[in-house]
Amino acid sequence: MAATISESEIRQVVSQVLDRIQSAPMATSWDSTQYGGRKLIGIFDDMNEAIRAAEAGYRAVRAMSVEQREKLITEIRRLTREEAGIMAKLGVEETGMGRVDHKRAKHLLVAEKTPGTEDIVSAAKTGDNGLTLIEMAPFGVVGAITPSTNPSETVICNSIGMIAAGNGVVFNPHPNAIATSNYAVDLVNRACKTAGGPEILVCSMAKPTMESAAIMQSHPAIRLLVCTGGPGVVRAVLSSGKKAIGAGAGNPPVIVDDTADIQKASKDIIDGCTFDNNLPCIAEKEVFAFRNIADELISAMQKNGAYLITAEQAAALNKIVLVEKTDKNGKVKKIVNRDCVGRDADVLLAKIGVSVSKDIRCIICETPFEHDFVQHELMMPILPIVRVDNIDEAIELGVKAEHGNRHTAHMHSKNIDNLSRFARAVETTIFVKNAPSYAGIGFGGEGHTTFTIAGPTGEGITSARSFTRQRRCVMADSFRII
Ligand code: NAD
């Protein structure tokens, strides 16, 4: 019997094929060694050579005063501000993910709010036995792995902090964002040279691979590994036998209770969830809303650019955004479809045959707690909403959905007890109250920024001091002035 296919199914297939063609990376057009005919500085074919160059850079920085080092950072900030638009556009074009205006804002945030040498402070302890000095020293050459989701942002943010601490750096960036990441490596080197630094201070690979990452991880000159990425790569560096900082995956829950300002909460949540199309690891990923305010919240979200889909449409979308993969043990598991990560909401809706305008920036749907959209870190502007009866249920489910990542969680409430209870229970590195998620990294919230949030290894919102080692100098029975 011949199978029949409906017109809407044909439309869906055509739309998916077109999307794939449009979003497929143009492998041949991305040259990670040059930009606009200009050869990028600090890019190597061989990881061992890259490490050697970063070592030379480290020795040059070691010989500089802190004041000179700060001059390098000032110039990195200036160039980042100047070229934020170029990197934002390049990032979206190369990866097919995110939004140019938001990526530009992320670069400006890095330029403004990543701490420099002022973060490196010494401590002195005096007593009957004299003076002890504790200083924050560089490690030497840092090996850094960076993600595709915030590629140049992470390279520049890491570079500022690592250079402020006096280190050289070698990057093994995500292969899907290599042109963008290497543009940022070149920018840092150009800035350093202009400000009187060495020719090359930070290095990267023309073609980073798992093999080049493995060489980096086992090379004796690499004294510290800093990894920003998903669970697989963080696990790999943490088992390297070296000192490692791991900034891993999140799945941030948001609780909205019935004391919240619902209109503000709806706007804050949609603003945060859709920032760079949900690529930031801190962005809102699932909502637990009190049953008595859920309708009002959903309707306010719709007024703020969200499109509500039915359970059937959510099921159809689920089949597209998550795909099954058999692991090496023969176990079938669902993983996110890379072709959907960081895509615009209207592009994702078109995949299930729903046509909306570009004003729609988020897809919302009501789901049970067990739904894949709640359980998986999608990194797309898709926001599932689970109704809960009370704060006990909200906290229990919110903590479960965070999966013990201890990364980020959010809450909208005016009840101090509820806010405190969730903050204590979820134990995340970042907890944002009554604001969009990005307030947690200094965008509209107090405090410095980072794109490497190290929950697993405990450094938290990393900054220059995270990339130092403590050294102590003791003068016994002397050097006191009282
Ligand atoms: P990813 O995990 O796919 O890859 C990150 C980098 O690791 C890439 O360079 C990749 O090539 C490399 N890699 C992967 N497995 C490796 C291994 N076994 N050994 C060596 N290198 C390996 O990252 P992505 O998809 O670009 O980023 C998204 C993930 O990163 C999300 O889970 C997100 O939450 C997380 N993330 C976390 C932070 C944070 O600060 N905690 C920041 C950004 C992204």
Side-chain angles (χ1 to χ4, degrees):
M1 198 170 71
T4 55
I5 181 161
S6 71
E7 204 184 309
S8 92
E9 282 171 319
I10 293 171
R11 258 205 307 272
Q12 272 184 43
V13 172
V14 171
S15 146
Q16 282 171 29
V17 171
L18 283 176
D19 278 344
R20 274 187 191 208
I21 292 170
Q22 278 157 14
S23 62
M26 291 168 289
T28 50
S29 62
W30 298 112
D31 186 341
S32 64
T33 61
Q34 59 94 31
Y35 179 82
R38 180 170 54 79
K39 190 173 176 326
L40 301 180
I41 307 168
I43 314 304
F44 294 82
D45 290 325
D46 177 72
M47 177 53 86
N48 289 303
E49 272 180 41
I51 294 172
R52 261 196 299 279
E55 263 190 299
Y58 161 59
R59 279 194 298 274
V61 167
R62 237 191 124 171
M64 292 172 109
S65 67
V66 174
E67 193 185 346
Q68 282 173 315
R69 228 190 276 166
E70 188 56 35
K71 283 189 182 142
L72 308 187
I73 289 161
T74 303
E75 183 60 16
I76 297 172
R77 294 188 201 282
R78 192 192 69 74
L79 263 192
T80 301
R81 277 193 293 269
E82 204 168 284
E83 300 180 20
I86 298 173
M87 288 182 281
K89 193 162 169 286
L90 191 56
V92 173
E93 282 173 0
E94 184 183 21
T95 64
M97 307 191 296
R99 303 175 73 100
V100 174
D101 50 346
H102 293 172
K103 282 198 187 292
R104 186 170 176 276
K106 282 158 76 182
H107 285 86
L108 296 180
L109 178 68
V110 165
E112 296 301 328
K113 294 190 89 172
T114 305
T117 54
E118 75 284 0
D119 198 45
I120 307 295
V121 283
S122 305
K125 188 167 168 46
T126 61
D128 292 343
N129 292 120
L131 167 78
T132 289
L133 193 63
I134 299 133
E135 292 193 293
M136 294 179 172
F139 270 89
V141 182
V142 182
I145 289 178
T146 52
S148 59
T149 45
N150 318 305
S152 37
E153 300 89 314
T154 309
V155 166
I156 295 174
C157 185
N158 279 181
S159 296
I160 291 177
M162 291 167 187
I163 293 169
N167 299 292
V169 195
V170 59
F171 287 98
N172 195 70
H174 200 294
N176 294 353
I178 189 60
T180 313
S181 306
N182 284 356
Y183 185 97
V185 166
D186 171 76
L187 179 146
V188 171
N189 285 323
R190 273 188 284 136
C192 285
K193 197 175 165 205
T194 306
E199 192 81 21
I200 297 176
L201 180 50
V202 298
C203 302
S204 178
M205 296 294 293
K207 284 197 178 72
T209 58
M210 293 303 213
E211 288 70 37
S212 59
I215 294 171
M216 185 174 95
Q217 284 173 37
S218 59
H219 197 290
I222 301 291
R223 301 296 184 92
L224 168 68
L225 291 164
V226 178
C227 173
T228 311
V233 58
V234 169
R235 219 175 300 120
V237 298
L238 293 190
S239 52
S240 67
K242 288 208 162 133
K243 158 80 183 173
I245 295 177
N251 194 35
V254 194
I255 292 179
V256 186
D257 78 9
D258 55 3
T259 66
D261 176 340
I262 302 300
Q263 298 303 316
K264 179 176 183 314
S266 71
K267 181 172 185 313
D268 285 354
I269 294 170
I270 299 298
D271 284 351
C273 171
T274 56
F275 189 58
D276 208 17
N277 280 343
N278 203 255
L279 290 178
C281 48
I282 54 158
E284 294 82 347
K285 299 284 190 287
E286 62 278 339
V287 175
F288 298 95
F290 273 34
R291 202 171 290 283
N292 56 351
I293 51 89
D295 286 338
E296 188 189 345
L297 182 73
I298 289 170
S299 127
M301 283 178 168
Q302 287 173 288
K303 288 187 192 115
N304 276 299
Y307 185 88
L308 180 66
I309 57 172
T310 63
E312 292 72 36
Q313 288 170 322
L317 193 58
N318 194 353
K319 286 195 187 125
I320 293 167
V321 301
L322 287 160
V323 288
E324 287 189 345
K325 194 181 168 199
T326 310
D327 69 15
K328 55 180 187 287
N329 303 317
K331 212 172 136 204
V332 178
K333 56 178 191 175
K334 285 188 178 172
I335 57 161
V336 291
N337 178 353
R338 287 268 162 187
D339 289 346
C340 296
V341 173
R343 299 309 198 266
D344 292 351
D346 65 305
V347 171
L348 296 173
L349 282 170
K351 291 176 189 291
I352 55 163
V354 175
S355 166
V356 295
S357 77
K358 278 279 172 203
D359 293 340
I360 294 297
R361 51 189 177 132
C362 191
I363 303 165
I364 55 171
C365 51
E366 281 199 56
T367 68
F369 172 72
E370 298 73 24
H371 197 278
D372 283 337
F373 289 176
V374 175
Q375 301 302 326
H376 288 265
E377 185 199 25
L378 295 179
M379 294 181 285
M380 304 165 200
I382 298 176
L383 192 63
I385 298 160
V386 179
R387 288 184 195 238
V388 291
D389 288 326
N390 52 46
I391 189 65
D392 295 329
E393 189 187 8
I395 292 175
E396 187 194 331
L397 298 185
V399 169
K400 275 191 192 155
E402 214 273 323
H403 300 313
N405 294 319
R406 305 209 287 183
H407 193 296
T408 300
H410 311 285
M411 184 156 175
H412 294 265
S413 171
K414 288 188 178 148
N415 181 321
I416 293 171
D417 293 338
N418 287 353
L419 286 163
S420 306
R421 278 186 60 194
F422 186 37
R424 266 200 293 271
V426 74
E427 290 188 284
T428 46
T429 304
I430 298 178
F431 189 82
V432 178
K433 299 167 178 167
N434 299 325
S437 47
Y438 42 70
I441 52 165
F443 197 73
E446 283 302 324
H448 72 266
T449 200
T450 186
F451 279 82
T452 296
I453 298 151
T457 47
E459 291 77 7
I461 322 298
T462 56
S463 62
R465 65 179 63 192
S466 316
F467 313 122
T468 61
R469 50 191 282 264
Q470 283 200 6
R471 293 178 58 190
R472 173 189 275 207
C473 181
V474 178
M475 170 63 101
D477 302 329
S478 190
F479 259 98
R480 293 195 73 191
I481 54 167
I482 55 170

mmCIF file of all heavy atoms in Angstrom, residues 232-261:
data_model
loop_
_atom_site.group_PDB
_atom_site.id
_atom_site.type_symbol
_atom_site.label_atom_id
_atom_site.label_comp_id
_atom_site.label_asym_id
_atom_site.label_seq_id
_atom_site.Cartn_x
_atom_site.Cartn_y
_atom_site.Cartn_z
ATOM 1 N N GLY A 232 31.604 16.235 28.751
ATOM 2 C CA GLY A 232 32.642 15.341 28.240
ATOM 3 C C GLY A 232 34.025 15.933 28.363
ATOM 4 O O GLY A 232 34.943 15.317 28.929
ATOM 5 N N VAL A 233 34.160 17.154 27.904
ATOM 6 C CA VAL A 233 35.485 17.773 27.876
ATOM 7 C C VAL A 233 35.931 18.156 29.293
ATOM 8 O O VAL A 233 37.112 18.048 29.630
ATOM 9 C CB VAL A 233 35.502 18.966 26.893
ATOM 10 C CG1 VAL A 233 34.485 20.002 27.252
ATOM 11 C CG2 VAL A 233 36.859 19.557 26.791
ATOM 12 N N VAL A 234 34.993 18.555 30.136
ATOM 13 C CA VAL A 234 35.370 18.893 31.515
ATOM 14 C C VAL A 234 35.874 17.628 32.217
ATOM 15 O O VAL A 234 36.908 17.645 32.893
ATOM 16 C CB VAL A 234 34.184 19.535 32.281
ATOM 17 C CG1 VAL A 234 34.490 19.645 33.768
ATOM 18 C CG2 VAL A 234 33.886 20.919 31.713
ATOM 19 N N ARG A 235 35.174 16.507 32.009
ATOM 20 C CA ARG A 235 35.614 15.237 32.590
ATOM 21 C C ARG A 235 37.030 14.904 32.104
ATOM 22 O O ARG A 235 37.882 14.489 32.889
ATOM 23 C CB ARG A 235 34.641 14.128 32.186
ATOM 24 C CG ARG A 235 34.379 13.139 33.301
ATOM 25 C CD ARG A 235 33.321 12.103 32.930
ATOM 26 N NE ARG A 235 32.021 12.670 32.609
ATOM 27 C CZ ARG A 235 31.390 12.536 31.438
ATOM 28 N NH1 ARG A 235 31.933 11.859 30.462
ATOM 29 N NH2 ARG A 235 30.209 13.075 31.234
ATOM 30 N N ALA A 236 37.276 15.113 30.811
ATOM 31 C CA ALA A 236 38.587 14.771 30.242
ATOM 32 C C ALA A 236 39.704 15.570 30.918
ATOM 33 O O ALA A 236 40.731 15.005 31.307
ATOM 34 C CB ALA A 236 38.590 15.018 28.737
ATOM 35 N N VAL A 237 39.529 16.881 31.102
ATOM 36 C CA VAL A 237 40.637 17.650 31.710
ATOM 37 C C VAL A 237 40.769 17.365 33.203
ATOM 38 O O VAL A 237 41.872 17.372 33.732
ATOM 39 C CB VAL A 237 40.553 19.184 31.489
ATOM 40 C CG1 VAL A 237 40.623 19.552 30.041
ATOM 41 C CG2 VAL A 237 39.397 19.804 32.152
ATOM 42 N N LEU A 238 39.644 17.051 33.841
ATOM 43 C CA LEU A 238 39.744 16.783 35.278
ATOM 44 C C LEU A 238 40.445 15.452 35.546
ATOM 45 O O LEU A 238 40.926 15.227 36.645
ATOM 46 C CB LEU A 238 38.369 16.802 35.953
ATOM 47 C CG LEU A 238 37.667 18.168 35.990
ATOM 48 C CD1 LEU A 238 36.439 18.133 36.871
ATOM 49 C CD2 LEU A 238 38.601 19.271 36.467
ATOM 50 N N SER A 239 40.501 14.599 34.527
ATOM 51 C CA SER A 239 41.194 13.326 34.745
ATOM 52 C C SER A 239 42.603 13.363 34.147
ATOM 53 O O SER A 239 43.243 12.343 33.980
ATOM 54 C CB SER A 239 40.376 12.172 34.159
ATOM 55 O OG SER A 239 40.065 12.461 32.827
ATOM 56 N N SER A 240 43.106 14.574 33.855
ATOM 57 C CA SER A 240 44.415 14.701 33.207
ATOM 58 C C SER A 240 45.571 14.533 34.186
ATOM 59 O O SER A 240 46.709 14.358 33.763
ATOM 60 C CB SER A 240 44.534 16.079 32.547
ATOM 61 O OG SER A 240 44.570 17.059 33.564
ATOM 62 N N GLY A 241 45.300 14.609 35.468
ATOM 63 C CA GLY A 241 46.388 14.525 36.443
ATOM 64 C C GLY A 241 47.047 15.869 36.699
ATOM 65 O O GLY A 241 47.991 15.975 37.469
ATOM 66 N N LYS A 242 46.550 16.934 36.048
ATOM 67 C CA LYS A 242 47.106 18.286 36.254
ATOM 68 C C LYS A 242 46.112 19.129 37.023
ATOM 69 O O LYS A 242 44.912 18.819 37.038
ATOM 70 C CB LYS A 242 47.319 18.957 34.899
ATOM 71 C CG LYS A 242 48.465 18.380 34.138
ATOM 72 C CD LYS A 242 49.081 19.410 33.222
ATOM 73 C CE LYS A 242 50.445 18.911 32.846
ATOM 74 N NZ LYS A 242 50.704 19.001 31.432
ATOM 75 N N LYS A 243 46.587 20.225 37.578
ATOM 76 C CA LYS A 243 45.680 21.195 38.184
ATOM 77 C C LYS A 243 44.732 21.679 37.074
ATOM 78 O O LYS A 243 45.191 22.109 36.002
ATOM 79 C CB LYS A 243 46.484 22.361 38.765
ATOM 80 C CG LYS A 243 45.719 23.648 38.939
ATOM 81 C CD LYS A 243 44.852 23.678 40.180
ATOM 82 C CE LYS A 243 44.047 24.973 40.250
ATOM 83 N NZ LYS A 243 43.075 25.022 41.313
ATOM 84 N N ALA A 244 43.436 21.590 37.301
ATOM 85 C CA ALA A 244 42.486 21.973 36.253
ATOM 86 C C ALA A 244 41.322 22.757 36.830
ATOM 87 O O ALA A 244 40.874 22.509 37.959
ATOM 88 C CB ALA A 244 41.965 20.724 35.544
ATOM 89 N N ILE A 245 40.859 23.717 36.045
ATOM 90 C CA ILE A 245 39.655 24.468 36.385
ATOM 91 C C ILE A 245 38.592 24.034 35.388
ATOM 92 O O ILE A 245 38.796 24.136 34.169
ATOM 93 C CB ILE A 245 39.912 25.992 36.293
ATOM 94 C CG1 ILE A 245 40.940 26.410 37.363
ATOM 95 C CG2 ILE A 245 38.609 26.777 36.457
ATOM 96 C CD1 ILE A 245 41.320 27.879 37.327
ATOM 97 N N GLY A 246 37.485 23.528 35.886
ATOM 98 C CA GLY A 246 36.445 23.016 34.996
ATOM 99 C C GLY A 246 35.187 23.865 35.064
ATOM 100 O O GLY A 246 34.606 24.058 36.132
ATOM 101 N N ALA A 247 34.793 24.410 33.904
ATOM 102 C CA ALA A 247 33.554 25.202 33.819
ATOM 103 C C ALA A 247 32.602 24.432 32.915
ATOM 104 O O ALA A 247 32.758 24.441 31.694
ATOM 105 C CB ALA A 247 33.867 26.583 33.262
ATOM 106 N N GLY A 248 31.659 23.726 33.527
ATOM 107 C CA GLY A 248 30.851 22.774 32.771
ATOM 108 C C GLY A 248 29.431 23.202 32.495
ATOM 109 O O GLY A 248 29.063 24.374 32.621
ATOM 110 N N ALA A 249 28.635 22.210 32.111
ATOM 111 C CA ALA A 249 27.257 22.441 31.667
ATOM 112 C C ALA A 249 26.350 22.880 32.816
ATOM 113 O O ALA A 249 26.618 22.640 33.988
ATOM 114 C CB ALA A 249 26.716 21.152 31.070
ATOM 115 N N GLY A 250 25.253 23.527 32.432
ATOM 116 C CA GLY A 250 24.217 23.896 33.387
ATOM 117 C C GLY A 250 22.862 23.504 32.824
ATOM 118 O O GLY A 250 22.773 23.007 31.695
ATOM 119 N N ASN A 251 21.817 23.702 33.609
ATOM 120 C CA ASN A 251 20.445 23.560 33.111
ATOM 121 C C ASN A 251 19.561 24.407 34.034
ATOM 122 O O ASN A 251 18.730 23.878 34.772
ATOM 123 C CB ASN A 251 20.007 22.092 33.127
ATOM 124 C CG ASN A 251 18.742 21.864 32.321
ATOM 125 O OD1 ASN A 251 18.533 22.507 31.290
ATOM 126 N ND2 ASN A 251 17.878 20.966 32.783
ATOM 127 N N PRO A 252 19.769 25.746 33.994
ATOM 128 C CA PRO A 252 19.214 26.600 35.048
ATOM 129 C C PRO A 252 17.681 26.631 35.136
ATOM 130 O O PRO A 252 16.992 27.011 34.181
ATOM 131 C CB PRO A 252 19.749 27.998 34.694
ATOM 132 C CG PRO A 252 20.960 27.733 33.887
ATOM 133 C CD PRO A 252 20.657 26.503 33.097
ATOM 134 N N PRO A 253 17.147 26.225 36.294
ATOM 135 C CA PRO A 253 15.708 26.325 36.519
ATOM 136 C C PRO A 253 15.323 27.729 36.983
ATOM 137 O O PRO A 253 16.152 28.446 37.539
ATOM 138 C CB PRO A 253 15.467 25.324 37.657
ATOM 139 C CG PRO A 253 16.767 25.296 38.405
ATOM 140 C CD PRO A 253 17.862 25.636 37.442
ATOM 141 N N VAL A 254 14.067 28.109 36.745
ATOM 142 C CA VAL A 254 13.540 29.381 37.253
ATOM 143 C C VAL A 254 12.263 29.063 38.019
ATOM 144 O O VAL A 254 11.373 28.415 37.473
ATOM 145 C CB VAL A 254 13.095 30.338 36.122
ATOM 146 C CG1 VAL A 254 12.891 31.756 36.657
ATOM 147 C CG2 VAL A 254 14.025 30.310 34.949
ATOM 148 N N ILE A 255 12.155 29.550 39.232
ATOM 149 C CA ILE A 255 10.896 29.411 39.984
ATOM 150 C C ILE A 255 10.190 30.767 39.975
ATOM 151 O O ILE A 255 10.834 31.802 40.187
ATOM 152 C CB ILE A 255 11.154 28.951 41.439
ATOM 153 C CG1 ILE A 255 11.678 27.509 41.458
ATOM 154 C CG2 ILE A 255 9.888 29.074 42.284
ATOM 155 C CD1 ILE A 255 11.997 26.966 42.841
ATOM 156 N N VAL A 256 8.888 30.751 39.733
ATOM 157 C CA VAL A 256 8.084 31.976 39.872
ATOM 158 C C VAL A 256 6.974 31.653 40.866
ATOM 159 O O VAL A 256 6.129 30.785 40.603
ATOM 160 C CB VAL A 256 7.465 32.417 38.524
ATOM 161 C CG1 VAL A 256 6.767 33.772 38.688
ATOM 162 C CG2 VAL A 256 8.522 32.495 37.429
ATOM 163 N N ASP A 257 7.004 32.323 42.032
ATOM 164 C CA ASP A 257 5.953 32.057 43.025
ATOM 165 C C ASP A 257 4.855 33.116 42.925
ATOM 166 O O ASP A 257 4.924 34.040 42.095
ATOM 167 C CB ASP A 257 6.541 31.873 44.436
ATOM 168 C CG ASP A 257 6.922 33.192 45.113
ATOM 169 O OD1 ASP A 257 6.583 34.278 44.592
ATOM 170 O OD2 ASP A 257 7.579 33.134 46.181
ATOM 171 N N ASP A 258 3.850 33.017 43.797
ATOM 172 C CA ASP A 258 2.692 33.905 43.646
ATOM 173 C C ASP A 258 2.852 35.241 44.369
ATOM 174 O O ASP A 258 1.899 36.001 44.486
ATOM 175 C CB ASP A 258 1.392 33.195 44.061
ATOM 176 C CG ASP A 258 1.459 32.640 45.472
ATOM 177 O OD1 ASP A 258 2.490 32.843 46.151
ATOM 178 O OD2 ASP A 258 0.486 31.998 45.902
ATOM 179 N N THR A 259 4.073 35.542 44.834
ATOM 180 C CA THR A 259 4.311 36.891 45.359
ATOM 181 C C THR A 259 5.081 37.738 44.337
ATOM 182 O O THR A 259 5.330 38.911 44.568
ATOM 183 C CB THR A 259 5.146 36.849 46.665
ATOM 184 O OG1 THR A 259 6.457 36.349 46.346
ATOM 185 C CG2 THR A 259 4.497 35.962 47.723
ATOM 186 N N ALA A 260 5.516 37.101 43.240
ATOM 187 C CA ALA A 260 6.362 37.808 42.251
ATOM 188 C C ALA A 260 5.577 38.887 41.517
ATOM 189 O O ALA A 260 4.346 38.819 41.408
ATOM 190 C CB ALA A 260 6.912 36.802 41.245
ATOM 191 N N ASP A 261 6.310 39.875 41.017
ATOM 192 C CA ASP A 261 5.729 40.850 40.085
ATOM 193 C C ASP A 261 5.675 40.114 38.733
ATOM 194 O O ASP A 261 6.696 40.004 38.036
ATOM 195 C CB ASP A 261 6.644 42.085 40.022
ATOM 196 C CG ASP A 261 6.167 43.121 39.011
ATOM 197 O OD1 ASP A 261 5.379 42.753 38.107
ATOM 198 O OD2 ASP A 261 6.599 44.282 39.125
#
